Coordinates of all heavy atoms in Angstrom, one line a residue:
R506 N 6.4 -6.4 19.0 CA 7.1 -6.9 20.3 C 6.4 -6.6 21.5 O 6.8 -7.1 22.6 CB 8.5 -6.3 20.3 CG 9.4 -6.8 19.1 CD 10.7 -6.1 19.2 NE 11.6 -6.5 18.1 CZ 12.6 -5.7 17.7 NH1 13.0 -4.6 18.4 NH2 13.3 -6.2 16.7
G507 N 5.4 -5.7 21.4 CA 4.8 -5.2 22.7 C 4.1 -6.2 23.5 O 4.6 -6.7 24.5
S508 N 2.8 -6.6 23.1 CA 2.0 -7.5 23.8 C 1.2 -8.3 22.8 O 0.0 -8.2 22.6 CB 1.0 -6.8 24.7 OG 1.7 -6.1 25.8
P509 N 1.9 -9.3 22.1 CA 1.3 -10.1 21.0 C 0.1 -10.8 21.5 O -0.8 -11.2 20.7 CB 2.4 -10.9 20.5 CG 3.5 -10.8 21.4 CD 3.3 -9.6 22.3
A510 N -0.1 -11.1 22.7 CA -1.3 -11.8 23.3 C -2.5 -10.9 23.3 O -3.6 -11.4 23.3 CB -1.0 -12.3 24.6
L511 N -2.2 -9.6 23.2 CA -3.3 -8.6 23.2 C -3.5 -8.0 21.8 O -4.7 -7.8 21.4 CB -3.1 -7.5 24.1 CG -3.0 -7.9 25.7 CD1 -2.6 -6.7 26.5 CD2 -4.1 -8.6 26.2
V512 N -2.4 -7.6 21.2 CA -2.4 -7.0 19.8 C -1.3 -7.7 19.0 O -0.2 -7.7 19.4 CB -2.1 -5.5 20.0 CG1 -2.0 -4.8 18.5 CG2 -3.1 -4.8 20.8
T513 N -1.8 -8.3 17.9 CA -0.9 -9.0 17.0 C -0.8 -8.3 15.7 O -1.7 -8.0 15.0 CB -1.4 -10.4 16.8 OG1 -1.5 -11.1 18.1 CG2 -0.5 -11.2 15.9
L514 N 0.5 -8.1 15.3 CA 0.7 -7.5 14.0 C 0.6 -8.6 12.8 O 1.3 -9.6 12.9 CB 2.2 -7.0 13.9 CG 2.6 -6.3 12.6 CD1 1.7 -5.1 12.3 CD2 4.1 -5.9 12.7
V515 N -0.4 -8.3 11.9 CA -0.6 -9.3 10.9 C 0.3 -9.0 9.7 O 0.8 -9.8 9.0 CB -2.1 -9.3 10.5 CG1 -2.4 -10.2 9.3 CG2 -3.0 -9.6 11.7
G516 N 0.4 -7.7 9.4 CA 1.2 -7.3 8.3 C 1.2 -5.8 8.0 O 0.8 -5.0 8.9
V517 N 1.6 -5.3 6.9 CA 1.6 -3.9 6.5 C 0.6 -3.8 5.3 O 0.4 -4.7 4.6 CB 3.0 -3.3 6.1 CG1 3.9 -3.4 7.3 CG2 3.5 -4.1 4.9
Y518 N 0.0 -2.6 5.3 CA -1.1 -2.3 4.4 C -0.9 -0.9 3.8 O -0.6 0.1 4.5 CB -2.4 -2.3 5.1 CG -3.6 -2.2 4.3 CD1 -4.3 -3.3 3.8 CD2 -4.1 -0.9 4.0 CE1 -5.5 -3.1 3.0 CE2 -5.3 -0.7 3.2 CZ -6.0 -1.8 2.7 OH -7.1 -1.7 1.9
A519 N -0.9 -0.9 2.5 CA -0.9 0.4 1.7 C -2.0 0.4 0.7 O -2.3 -0.6 0.0 CB 0.5 0.5 1.0
H520 N -2.7 1.6 0.5 CA -3.7 1.7 -0.4 C -3.3 2.8 -1.4 O -3.0 3.9 -1.0 CB -5.0 2.1 0.3 CG -6.1 2.5 -0.6 ND1 -6.8 1.6 -1.3 CD2 -6.7 3.8 -0.8 CE1 -7.7 2.2 -2.1 NE2 -7.7 3.5 -1.8
C521 N -3.4 2.5 -2.7 CA -3.0 3.4 -3.7 C -4.1 4.3 -4.2 O -4.5 4.4 -5.4 CB -2.4 2.6 -4.9 SG -0.9 1.8 -4.6
G522 N -4.7 4.9 -3.2 CA -5.8 5.9 -3.6 C -5.4 7.0 -4.4 O -6.1 7.7 -5.1
N523 N -4.0 7.3 -4.4 CA -3.5 8.4 -5.3 C -3.6 8.0 -6.8 O -3.3 8.8 -7.6 CB -2.1 8.8 -4.9 CG -1.2 7.6 -4.7 OD1 -1.6 6.5 -4.3 ND2 0.1 7.8 -4.8
T524 N -4.0 6.8 -7.1 CA -4.2 6.4 -8.5 C -5.5 6.9 -9.0 O -5.7 7.0 -10.3 CB -4.2 4.9 -8.7 OG1 -5.2 4.3 -8.0 CG2 -2.8 4.3 -8.3
Y525 N -6.4 7.4 -8.2 CA -7.8 7.7 -8.7 C -7.7 8.9 -9.6 O -8.5 9.0 -10.5 CB -8.6 8.1 -7.4 CG -8.9 7.0 -6.5 CD1 -9.4 7.3 -5.2 CD2 -8.7 5.6 -6.8 CE1 -9.6 6.3 -4.3 CE2 -8.9 4.7 -5.9 CZ -9.4 5.0 -4.6 OH -9.7 4.0 -3.7
G526 N -6.7 9.7 -9.5 CA -6.6 10.9 -10.4 C -5.8 10.6 -11.6 O -5.6 11.6 -12.4
C527 N -5.3 9.4 -11.8 CA -4.5 9.1 -13.0 C -5.2 9.1 -14.3 O -6.4 8.7 -14.3 CB -3.8 7.8 -12.8 SG -2.6 7.7 -11.5
G528 N -4.6 9.6 -15.3 CA -5.3 9.7 -16.6 C -5.0 8.5 -17.5 O -5.7 8.4 -18.5
D529 N -4.1 7.7 -17.1 CA -3.8 6.5 -18.0 C -3.1 5.4 -17.3 O -2.8 5.5 -16.1 CB -2.9 7.0 -19.2 CG -1.6 7.5 -18.7 OD1 -1.0 7.1 -17.7 OD2 -1.1 8.5 -19.4
T530 N -3.1 4.3 -17.9 CA -2.5 3.0 -17.3 C -1.0 3.2 -16.9 O -0.7 2.7 -15.8 CB -2.7 1.8 -18.3 OG1 -4.0 1.6 -18.7 CG2 -2.2 0.5 -17.7
A531 N -0.3 3.9 -17.7 CA 1.1 4.1 -17.3 C 1.3 4.8 -16.0 O 2.2 4.5 -15.2 CB 1.9 4.8 -18.4
A532 N 0.5 5.8 -15.7 CA 0.5 6.6 -14.5 C 0.1 5.7 -13.3 O 0.7 5.7 -12.3 CB -0.4 7.8 -14.6
V533 N -0.9 4.8 -13.5 CA -1.3 3.9 -12.4 C -0.2 2.9 -12.1 O 0.2 2.6 -11.0 CB -2.6 3.2 -12.8 CG1 -2.9 2.0 -11.8 CG2 -3.8 4.1 -12.9
Q534 N 0.4 2.4 -13.2 CA 1.5 1.4 -13.0 C 2.7 2.1 -12.3 O 3.4 1.4 -11.5 CB 1.9 0.8 -14.3 CG 0.9 -0.1 -14.9 CD 1.1 -0.5 -16.3 OE1 1.9 0.2 -17.1 NE2 0.6 -1.7 -16.7
A535 N 3.0 3.3 -12.6 CA 4.2 4.0 -11.9 C 3.9 4.1 -10.5 O 4.8 3.9 -9.6 CB 4.4 5.4 -12.6
I536 N 2.6 4.5 -10.1 CA 2.3 4.6 -8.7 C 2.4 3.2 -8.0 O 2.9 3.1 -6.9 CB 0.9 5.2 -8.5 CG1 1.0 6.7 -8.8 CG2 0.4 5.0 -7.1 CD1 -0.3 7.4 -8.9
A537 N 1.9 2.2 -8.7 CA 2.0 0.9 -8.1 C 3.4 0.4 -7.9 O 3.8 -0.2 -6.8 CB 1.2 -0.1 -9.1
R538 N 4.3 0.7 -8.8 CA 5.7 0.4 -8.7 C 6.4 1.1 -7.5 O 7.1 0.5 -6.7 CB 6.5 0.7 -10.0 CG 6.4 -0.4 -11.0 CD 7.3 -0.2 -12.2 NE 7.2 1.2 -12.8 CZ 6.3 1.3 -13.8 NH1 5.5 0.4 -14.2 NH2 6.2 2.6 -14.4
D539 N 6.0 2.5 -7.4 CA 6.6 3.3 -6.3 C 6.1 2.7 -5.0 O 6.9 2.6 -4.0 CB 6.3 4.7 -6.6 CG 7.0 5.4 -7.7 OD1 7.9 4.8 -8.3 OD2 6.5 6.5 -8.1
T540 N 4.8 2.4 -4.9 CA 4.2 1.9 -3.7 C 4.9 0.6 -3.3 O 5.2 0.4 -2.1 CB 2.7 1.8 -3.8 OG1 2.2 3.1 -4.0 CG2 2.1 1.2 -2.5
T541 N 5.0 -0.3 -4.2 CA 5.6 -1.6 -4.0 C 7.0 -1.5 -3.5 O 7.4 -2.1 -2.5 CB 5.6 -2.5 -5.3 OG1 4.2 -2.7 -5.6 CG2 6.2 -3.8 -5.0
A542 N 7.8 -0.6 -4.1 CA 9.2 -0.4 -3.7 C 9.2 0.2 -2.3 O 10.1 -0.3 -1.5 CB 9.8 0.5 -4.7

């Protein structure tokens, strides 16, 4: 709402870098579900 002619919000962004330490697919999928939610 500020000054869209100067700065425009395109969207929101989240990076699941916390999956890097996961040991299996189920753990990655759990983080992906939590992030999506």
Side-chain angles (χ1 to χ4, degrees):
R506 296 177 182 161
S508 297
L511 300 177
V512 178
T513 299
L514 180 62
V515 177
V517 296
Y518 183 93
H520 172 68
C521 295
N523 48 334
T524 61
Y525 298 162
C527 290
D529 58 35
T530 302
V533 171
Q534 290 171 336
I536 289 173
R538 278 190 303 276
D539 290 347
T540 300
T541 300

